[in-house]
Amino acid sequence: MRMKEMLAAGIVLSMGIQLFCACSKEMPYEENKVYVGVTYYNQSDTFLNQLIASLKENLQEYEGNGYEISILIRGAGGSQRTQEDQVKELIDSGCNVLCVNLVDRADPSEIIDLARETDVPIIFFNREPVAEDMMQWDRLYYVGAFAEQSGIMQGELAVEIIQSDPLVDRNKDGKIQYVILEGEAGHQDAIIRSESVVETLKSHEIEIEKLSNGIANWNRAQAQNQMLQMISQHQNRIELVLANNDDMALGAIDAYEKLNYTESALPVFLGVDGTDVGLEAVRDSKLAGTVYNDKEGQAEAMAELAVALVSGTGMEKIKFQDKKYIYLPYMKVTKSSVDRFMRR
Ligand code: BGC
Ligand code: CA
């Protein structure tokens, strides 16, 4: 028996050595094979669908440069549990870098554990984990934008419009009556945009009066419903609609269109993002302006980082803040600059 056991152990051992040799000879570590696994909170999000389309394009460009690229994309349908399963599945399928847009940005621990166990780095994007979670492991990165900047820019756009057009103050009471349509509760962009846009109006000495705010979860249809309620409550008193993103600004416009408001009776609408539909609405003078959330810049940074993390080359060229953050600047978009953004 002992002899048999020893023999068996010997076979296993030599197989191990052979396997190891095969690996180290033919594929030391396949630095040129970049297998990207993407999971995002919800496949019906307009902004993220465009960002991910741009990420694909950016990654595909590396194929010509001697890299073998493959991308697997999963939408989590708003469920954190589903997203955790997707991360497992992506790692099991051989992904060697992950791009994660968290469903619940306050709850990434399970996902971080899964990635750390298999040493697969994570690039979080758009929905920023809190700083303590980003410290859980040194192979965690974040690509996004400064929410405060978008709120300030939306506020500055509003100030410019209010100061240049006395008709915005429809009831001529010297104050601007406004409503806010907010993204998801707990999302850094919703909270901070809503605060900083109002701060900016105040700091420019614009007299404002808040009539209502409503959470519409970044969603056009929900924003339309919220807006219909606000209109039934305040009728013609609303002079300015501040939406945390373009889809919700468009939902607000949908509400007014549904009620057959004439153009001259409409409030001023402002969004954030510069999605295709948002830019078209700026071009058509339906949206007074938006703030460009640089999805192409974010996608390019994610692709560059993903390739650098897998290949081990090019990390030194990437400019991080605090070693793991990449923030792309926002830009103001009005009718006079919209063409430039439409060509991006
Ligand atoms: C965008 C929204 C988007 C959200 C998703 C925000 O930065 O402005 O349009 O729905 O991210 O997390
Ligand atoms: Ca007024």
Side-chain angles (χ1 to χ4, degrees):
M1 280 305 264
R2 249 187 87 78
M3 193 59 192
K4 258 195 196 163
E5 271 170 23
M6 276 167 67
L7 254 174
I11 289 167
V12 171
L13 196 69
S14 70
M15 268 170 63
I17 287 168
Q18 261 173 28
L19 274 177
F20 182 75
C21 291
C23 287
S24 57
K25 219 190 296 157
E26 282 149 34
M27 30 187 252
Y29 169 77
E30 303 218 43
E31 297 102 351
N32 65 331
K33 295 197 170 155
V34 185
Y35 296 155
V36 187
V38 182
T39 160
Y40 64 123
Y41 87 105
N42 199 323
Q43 49 277 46
S44 65
D45 189 281
T46 309
F47 173 77
L48 285 170
N49 282 332
Q50 289 191 233
L51 190 161
I52 288 166
S54 177
L55 174 64
K56 257 173 143 175
E57 281 173 25
N58 273 284
L59 281 167
Q60 272 152 7
E61 276 173 26
Y62 285 86
E63 293 226 295
N65 302 340
Y67 289 100
E68 186 185 317
I69 306 284
S70 95
I71 314 161
L72 289 176
I73 299 170
R74 302 286 179 264
S79 155
Q80 180 71 24
R81 256 314 295 278
T82 303
Q83 186 161 60
E84 287 159 7
D85 291 344
Q86 288 173 343
V87 166
K88 243 176 262 157
E89 185 234 334
L90 291 168
I91 293 174
D92 289 346
S93 326
C95 290
N96 50 14
V97 55
L98 295 174
C99 295
V100 178
N101 172 255
L102 287 163
V103 174
D104 183 351
R105 74 179 190 99
D107 189 16
S109 293
E110 176 78 26
I111 288 173
I112 293 173
D113 288 347
L114 287 166
R116 189 172 29 201
E117 277 161 24
T118 43
D119 198 29
V120 176
I122 305 181
I123 304 168
F124 291 107
F125 64 104
N126 171 265
R127 300 160 75 92
E128 186 172 347
V130 296
E132 295 90 86
D133 286 327
M134 287 296 289
M135 305 296 286
Q136 284 196 43
W137 187 32
D138 62 358
R139 304 198 80 198
L140 304 176
Y141 297 86
Y142 178 72
V143 176
F146 279 122
E148 190 187 10
Q149 188 185 32
S150 56
I152 292 173
M153 287 186 170
Q154 191 183 53
E156 289 171 352
L157 286 170
V159 171
E160 284 157 32
I161 294 164
I162 293 162
Q163 287 177 341
S164 65
D165 183 1
L167 293 178
V168 176
D169 181 14
R170 315 175 63 81
N171 63 357
K172 311 230 175 314
D173 66 348
K175 289 185 210 156
I176 301 300
Q177 279 72 24
Y178 73 97
V179 301
I180 297 202
L181 290 167
E182 291 175 34
E184 288 164 271
H187 192 303
Q188 83 279 351
D189 291 343
I191 302 165
I192 299 172
R193 283 176 191 162
S194 301
E195 273 170 16
S196 55
V197 66
V198 172
E199 283 309 308
T200 305
L201 282 159
K202 287 185 183 156
S203 71
H204 285 78
E205 263 124 55
I206 305 280
E207 291 272 344
I208 50 176
E209 182 190 352
K210 179 171 175 176
L211 297 180
S212 274
N213 67 319
I215 294 178
N217 296 310
W218 308 117
N219 179 279
R220 183 165 179 163
Q222 289 185 38
Q224 177 180 334
N225 285 334
Q226 290 275 351
M227 195 71 231
L228 286 170
Q229 281 176 35
M230 290 177 183
I231 299 169
S232 80
Q233 207 180 336
H234 304 290
Q235 280 89 35
N236 295 336
R237 291 191 70 223
I238 303 167
E239 297 171 336
L240 173 65
V241 177
L242 300 168
N244 282 171
N245 77 346
D246 286 351
D247 263 16
M248 296 190 293
L250 293 169
I253 297 172
D254 293 341
Y256 280 93
E257 282 180 357
K258 196 166 177 187
L259 298 172
N260 288 317
Y261 267 65
T262 56
E263 210 179 296
S264 60
L266 294 176
V268 170
F269 302 93
L270 287 170
V272 175
D273 274 346
T275 53
D276 290 349
V277 276
L279 293 177
E280 277 162 28
V282 174
R283 183 198 60 199
D284 300 343
S285 308
K286 292 187 166 188
L287 257 188
T290 188
V291 179
Y292 203 76
N293 192 355
D294 187 2
K295 52 191 178 306
E296 291 80 12
Q298 291 161 27
E300 193 184 336
M302 287 165 67
E304 188 184 5
L305 178 54
V307 171
L309 284 168
V310 175
S311 67
T313 55
M315 283 299 274
E316 69 289 345
K317 277 192 265 161
I318 302 177
K319 291 199 182 66
F320 293 104
Q321 294 188 24
D322 291 338
K323 295 191 180 132
K324 38 176 74 196
Y325 293 89
I326 301 174
Y327 293 107
L328 277 288
Y330 283 99
M331 288 163 273
K332 288 185 220 173
V333 187
T334 57
K335 196 174 164 99
S336 62
S337 61
V338 73
D339 287 342
R340 196 157 28 96
F341 291 93
M342 292 187 101
R343 283 195 301 269
R344 280 171 86 93

